[in-house]
Amino acid sequence: MIVTAHVEPRVVIGGVGATSGALWATDPSATNHLYNMDFGYPAAVGLGLAMARPELSVITLEGDGSAVAGMSVYCTIAANRPRNLTTVVFDNRVYGTGSAGFATPTGRGLRLEQLAESCGIPLELIHRVASLGELRAALPSLVDGGPSFLVVDTDTSDSRSGSRPQADIDFTECGIQFQRHLRERADTAAGSPGGSP
Amino acid sequence: MSQSTFPQNLAESLFHGLKAAGVRFASFLPDSSLYQLEELLSADHDVTAVQCTREDEGVAMAVGASMGGTRSVAVMEGTGLGFCGLILSRARIQCTPLLVVFSHPRGGLGERLAHHSTSMLASHACVSGLDIPLMIPGSVEGAADTVAQAVETAYGQRCLIAVGIPSFIPAHRAVTR
């Protein structure tokens, strides 16, 4: 994925459904990525990880429905300003479940970038892109001191839950590998052998 | 008859227990029972203390920090546990250790205020439904050991543990003769 490939060292937390399916399909990693974080929580989990591990670049990916469900965290992100956190929301304006026939709040007029600004995230750290060219142009500013907030305007081609890629790893396996990988990275940086926190 | 010296002594006991066990990340939603503990955590430069906007968000942040290898605690009034079923389920399934400290647990003493009823029922539903071990300190002085050993157990067993703080805790451990 263009965003996740642009920053190192990075970990990615993907939300449920299409975002984790696309993440797995393009860049499967059972160590750097946490897949299918539950609805409404990717940004909050990413915030806690970013604050606990300031040396990592933490990227969260989720759909607009999940983002709005957990939107209170944008106030907390704004209050704490972790420089190493990038929040990415794929906005297709529908809930990607079943027939994809139900509009999300953004499908009814909510503007996520205005929501983020209202919560206190600085306007210069908020971006909305609708093409690959715009995304590539926004990347340098995304990674140069966050917390960055990126809204990616997408279509609904992968919104039907039965016909899109899925991450081929379960919560337990993924969680254990992801956590072990983070511990090992910390131990390597500290020059010490692995162990429990 | 022993009397509770709650709240400041209890807050200090809990705080020292958390620090002694290596807790270095705390999320909290300010509440009237545990605010002294939240203030102690916020004032300590060794602890990253983050005020959340809703309790499940706070648990999610603590889950993230714990996954990153930092011993973490989520602090809240018991009502907040009612929001936390999904994220606590995820933490349990993916074996992320975590301590939750909350006020007004079912099974505690001194709960004379009717508006704590939802706190007691919601928190009970969450901890019992998810089979989260619940500890209630037996004394103010023992609260430090309770939270410290709860942290050690959570991180040793890679599980969730809850410590409930009721409105009444004896000032001293009872002496059996």
Side-chain angles (χ1 to χ4, degrees), chain A residues 13 86 89 92 114 174 188 191:
Chain A
I13 298 173
T86 300
V89 181
N92 65 1
Q114 292 175 0
C174 181
T188 299

Side-chain angles (χ1 to χ4, degrees), chain B residues 7-21:
Chain B
Q8 188 61 33
N9 288 3
L10 177 60
E12 291 170 353
S13 184
L14 292 169
F15 172 72
H16 291 305
L18 291 172
K19 284 292 299 288

Side-chain angles (χ1 to χ4, degrees), chain A residues 1-125:
Chain A
M1 299 194 100
I2 294 173
V3 175
T4 60
H6 196 79
V7 295
E8 287 285 354
R10 68 179 187 275
V11 292
V12 183
I13 298 173
V16 294
T19 48
S20 281
L23 182 64
W24 180 268
T26 56
D27 182 20
S29 168
T31 52
N32 279 349
H33 300 165
L34 187 70
Y35 296 94
N36 286 313
M37 174 46 64
D38 293 88
F39 192 76
Y41 295 121
V45 173
L47 173 60
L49 179 56
M51 295 186 73
R53 296 289 296 272
E55 81 283 7
L56 294 174
S57 287
V58 178
I59 303 172
T60 68
L61 311 174
E62 61 189 312
D64 58 280
S66 176
V68 175
M71 66 181 186
S72 65
V73 74
Y74 299 146
C75 300
T76 312
I77 289 173
N80 290 277
R81 302 280 180 102
R83 294 180 59 84
N84 57 328
L85 178 65
T86 300
T87 303
V88 181
V89 181
F90 296 96
D91 185 5
N92 65 1
R93 296 164 293 284
V94 295
Y95 288 104
T97 186
S99 64
F102 293 101
T104 55
T106 60
R108 294 172 175 171
L110 175 69
R111 297 285 291 184
L112 285 168
E113 58 274 29
Q114 292 175 0
L115 173 65
E117 185 186 6
S118 295
C119 290
I121 297 176
L123 186 59
E124 62 270 21
L125 299 179

Side-chain angles (χ1 to χ4, degrees), chain A residues 144-169:
Chain A
D144 187 22
S148 303
F149 187 86
L150 172 66
V151 181
V152 181
D153 204 338
T154 66
D155 61 24
T156 59
S157 59
D158 60 355
S159 298
R160 297 178 68 88
S161 52
S163 59
R164 63 183 177 225
Q166 301 206 16
D168 187 19
I169 189 167

